[in-house]
Amino acid sequence: MPKIIARTGDDAVAEAMRQINPDVVAAYPITPQTEIVQFFSDFVANGKVKTELLCPESEHSAMSACIGASAAGGRVMTATSSQGLAYMWELVYIAASYRLPIVMPVVNRALSGPINIHCDHSDSMGARDSGWVQIFSENIQEAYDNTIQAVRIAEHANLLLPVIVTLDGFIISHAMEQFEILDDDTVQKFVGEYKPEYSLLDAKHPITYGPLQLFDYYMEQKKQQHEVIKSASSVVLQIASEFEKISKRKYELFEEYRMDDADIGIVVLGSASGTAKTVADKLREQGLRAGVLKIRLFRPFPAAELANSLSHLKALAVLDRSDTFGGLGGPVFEEVCASLYNYQFPDGHKIPAVNYIYGLGGRDVTLDHIEKVYRDLEGISRTGKINNLIQYLGVRE
Amino acid sequence: MPQEKGWKSLSRGGVILEPGNARDYETGSWRTFKPVVDREKCINCMFCWIFCPESAVIVKDDKMEGFNLKYCKGCGICAKECPKKAIEMAKD
Ligand code: SF4
Ligand code: SF4
């Protein structure tokens, strides 16, 4: 029977890892690492898992070890955060290009400088083009559920790609919430056994990972990656529906909250979605038709589905917890704008869309902030006029 | 070079599935200069054989016998290292 327990997000993700019982976890053991690896190392020390835990001298080495272990045919996980992910960067690309199904929870925290340890999406957004599938979580339950589903998504025979599952630093990772934990057996059965097609340790069928491919083959290899990650959306949906059978919880590419008849809508990902939903409820009582679209799958970006879901809005705001400095706006805003631009509106119709950069370095995002966004949208939907395309939300002048 | 494959026929992640297939990659196509050995000067010391990065120096019965031009990329290392200056790089 599933049980309701209270845990921090880090603890819940570590529990998921215990239930998955991967062959190898290679993770840097010191800050910016989070408690995920600390809790998991307790499970290893207490014999609760049969995982081989490697603690190399850096995240660069941790991801290198994950690549080696995964190429050897193991089910491999790691976890990181902030500077740790930044330090892994070149290996993150290599893991994806080798098509190694490594699963990595990322606790979203700010990048230096200035030095900061709090919630911010800059770290995983920095890896957005690396070829990893990226799934965002709103709360502890989702972080736990997404971690379990990630294993099946990564190892899906049509995919074989690494997967990042994110949870917001401190807000989810260190706060305690109740969530429903599945039985160990149920999770074990759900993830099943990983049967790799190739293994570096299979001396009877020697293979080589990491070829040199110059102008003659590199581009074909990249095209293969381009095509395979596009097909991840359908795999994510398939695994979600299998997961629903064991958990009774429904997951999709994104969640539409009161979007059906909405005039104004906010697109958001991560823990701020909850705040946006609360404000939408309140404004609905006042007669404002407010909706929220919470992105779950950020890579591959579900462009067509998302544009379709937004197509009836009169005004739209995208919330970004990171900036692209010199780009059009935040990374989510860029994706949403590109999605809408390519959506075939029947009458050449255009939805006014604005961007709010919020919550950088752990800056609190309050109900009032979100209400201001909706009020701005209400004005835009009435006048059709955008005064401020990109704003920092809750910043001092 | 063997016929170049399209992206649909590449192995997953570019994994090399047959061992020893570097043999299919004929580095001789890179060459502008080719090494020419003067048998009179050669003392069969095998320096060229040791230094050649492409294993393109042919040795038979302990004798240096010339170069495999399928793989010799014309780098000139053999000519540089030969203690007897027995190898000359000639325009190919
Ligand atoms: S290095 Fe010069 S002398 Fe020695 S074997 Fe080669 S060609 Fe002959
Ligand atoms: S030129 Fe370079 S590749 Fe050719 S035989 Fe000499 S050392 Fe080898």
Side-chain angles (χ1 to χ4, degrees):
Chain A
M1 283 290 288
K3 270 191 314 211
I4 306 269
I5 57 173
R7 287 283 195 284
T8 65
D10 284 339
D11 207 345
V13 169
E15 287 288 349
M17 289 171 71
R18 176 184 62 73
Q19 295 180 311
I20 293 162
N21 198 354
D23 298 311
V24 174
V25 168
Y28 184 63
I30 314 169
T31 196
Q33 187 55 271
T34 67
E35 287 167 307
I36 292 175
V37 170
Q38 182 201 318
F39 290 131
F40 187 76
S41 64
D42 284 347
F43 296 138
V44 176
N46 295 333
K48 303 273 189 217
V49 286
K50 49 175 190 31
T51 306
E52 183 159 345
L53 176 67
L54 298 166
C55 292
E57 73 281 10
S58 72
E59 285 84 358
H60 191 276
S61 304
M63 185 47 70
S64 301
C66 287
I67 288 170
S70 185
R75 175 175 277 162
V76 180
M77 296 182 77
T78 182
T80 193
S81 180
S82 176
Q83 302 301 117
L85 180 56
Y87 192 19
M88 256 181 207
W89 202 74
E90 60 178 354
L91 285 314
V92 168
Y93 274 69
I94 291 170
S97 81
Y98 290 4
R99 309 272 306 276
L100 298 171
I102 300 162
V103 172
M104 174 161 70
V106 171
V107 174
N108 279 130
R109 297 196 289 126
L111 291 179
S112 295
I115 297 173
N116 179 293
I117 58 169
H118 288 287
C119 181
D120 189 303
H121 293 162
S122 304
D123 51 0
S124 66
M125 286 300 166
R128 73 183 165 159
D129 301 335
S130 61
W132 286 56
V133 174
Q134 289 197 7
I135 301 173
F136 276 77
S137 319
E138 178 187 333
N139 51 38
I140 290 176
Q141 184 74 62
E142 290 191 6
Y144 169 82
D145 291 349
N146 285 337
T147 303
I148 294 167
Q149 291 176 68
V151 174
R152 290 284 308 280
I153 295 164
E155 293 170 3
H156 194 283
N158 298 349
L159 216 56
L160 288 149
L161 281 177
V163 179
I164 284 173
V165 171
T166 75
L167 52 156
D168 279 352
F170 294 95
I171 299 163
I172 306 179
S173 68
H174 287 61
M176 194 175 285
E177 243 175 34
Q178 59 173 32
F179 79 105
E180 189 179 277
I181 186 168
L182 298 165
D183 288 337
D184 293 1
D185 275 0
T186 309
V187 175
Q188 268 296 307
K189 247 190 243 134
F190 181 78
V191 297
E193 194 192 333
Y194 173 48
K195 296 202 184 81
E197 194 183 350
Y198 314 131
S199 162
L200 281 182
L201 298 179
D202 182 357
K204 287 208 186 83
H205 305 100
I207 53 151
T208 307
Y209 269 95
L212 172 75
Q213 290 172 308
L214 302 177
F215 41 73
D216 50 357
Y217 273 110
Y218 185 88
M219 207 156 157
E220 279 70 25
Q221 208 64 61
K222 290 292 138 185
K223 170 75 172 162
Q224 187 191 70
Q225 259 184 280
H226 174 91
E227 289 299 325
V228 78
I229 196 164
K230 272 205 303 199
S231 69
S233 303
S234 62
V235 173
V236 168
L237 287 175
Q238 182 205 321
I239 302 302
S241 85
E242 285 184 43
F243 187 75
E244 190 181 351
K245 290 193 191 103
I246 61 162
S247 68
K248 311 268 183 306
R249 287 185 289 279
K250 192 173 171 61
Y251 285 96
E252 291 176 290
L253 305 179
F254 47 80
E255 181 193 332
E256 294 165 295
Y257 186 79
R258 309 193 80 159
M259 282 294 287
D260 275 355
D261 63 341
D263 291 330
I264 51 177
I266 286 182
V267 175
V268 59
L269 35 74
S271 63
S273 317
T275 317
K277 288 174 190 171
T278 305
V279 177
D281 286 345
K282 181 183 150 196
L283 295 180
R284 285 248 169 196
E285 279 168 26
Q286 299 169 15
L288 220 59
R289 294 210 287 213
V292 179
L293 189 146
K294 176 186 84 184
I295 294 174
R296 174 176 181 243
L297 185 67
F298 181 69
R299 277 290 182 268
F301 196 77
E305 296 88 340
L306 183 122
N308 186 43
S309 168
L310 300 174
S311 59
H312 63 284
L313 293 179
K314 297 200 175 107
L316 161 71
V318 179
L319 266 51
D320 265 291
R321 202 158 199 152
S322 61
D323 199 346
T324 59
F325 303 116
L328 175 66
V332 188
F333 185 58
E334 290 183 342
E335 297 289 347
V336 172
C337 287
S339 306
L340 288 173
Y341 185 83
N342 286 301
Y343 184 78
Q344 298 300 318
F345 288 104
D347 46 359
H349 165 76
K350 183 174 170 243
I351 302 171
V354 286
N355 189 206
Y356 294 84
I357 313 270
Y358 76 99
L360 300 187
R363 174 65 55 86
D364 204 14
V365 57
T366 65
L367 298 170
D368 289 345
H369 289 144
I370 304 280
E371 184 165 341
K372 173 200 149 42
V373 173
Y374 276 123
R375 298 276 175 218
D376 288 355
L377 286 181
E378 203 259 326
I380 294 170
S381 73
R382 246 186 311 105
T383 61
K385 247 182 77 193
I386 294 174
N387 293 324
N388 238 329
L389 185 66
I390 301 151
Q391 298 183 49
Y392 266 51
L393 192 60
V395 76
R396 294 183 300 276
E397 291 295 331
Chain B
M1 288 296 297
Q3 178 68 36
E4 290 179 351
K5 294 176 184 166
W7 69 268
K8 288 179 185 162
S9 347
L10 290 191
S11 67
R12 190 182 72 224
V15 171
I16 296 170
L17 298 166
E18 354 145 19
N21 74 350
R23 203 174 283 126
D24 297 341
Y25 198 90
E26 293 174 11
T27 40
S29 68
W30 300 359
R31 199 176 54 241
T32 317
F33 290 90
K34 69 173 179 196
V36 180
V37 64
D38 181 344
R39 299 291 320 156
E40 300 290 300
K41 293 190 193 159
C42 173
I43 55 166
N44 296 310
C45 69
M46 300 303 157
F47 270 36
C48 54
W49 177 78
I50 289 168
F51 279 103
C52 173
E54 297 297 338
S55 303
V57 175
I58 302 165
V59 174
K60 229 180 182 174
D61 302 329
D62 293 339
K63 288 208 167 59
M64 189 280 185
E65 294 250 311
F67 308 94
N68 183 342
L69 293 180
K70 232 195 219 178
Y71 301 107
C72 166
K73 61 188 176 192
C75 65
I77 291 174
C78 52
K80 168 93 179 152
E81 297 296 338
C82 174
K84 288 287 163 191
K85 305 251 174 297
I87 301 173
E88 222 179 289
M89 299 303 291
K91 190 102 194 223
D92 201 11

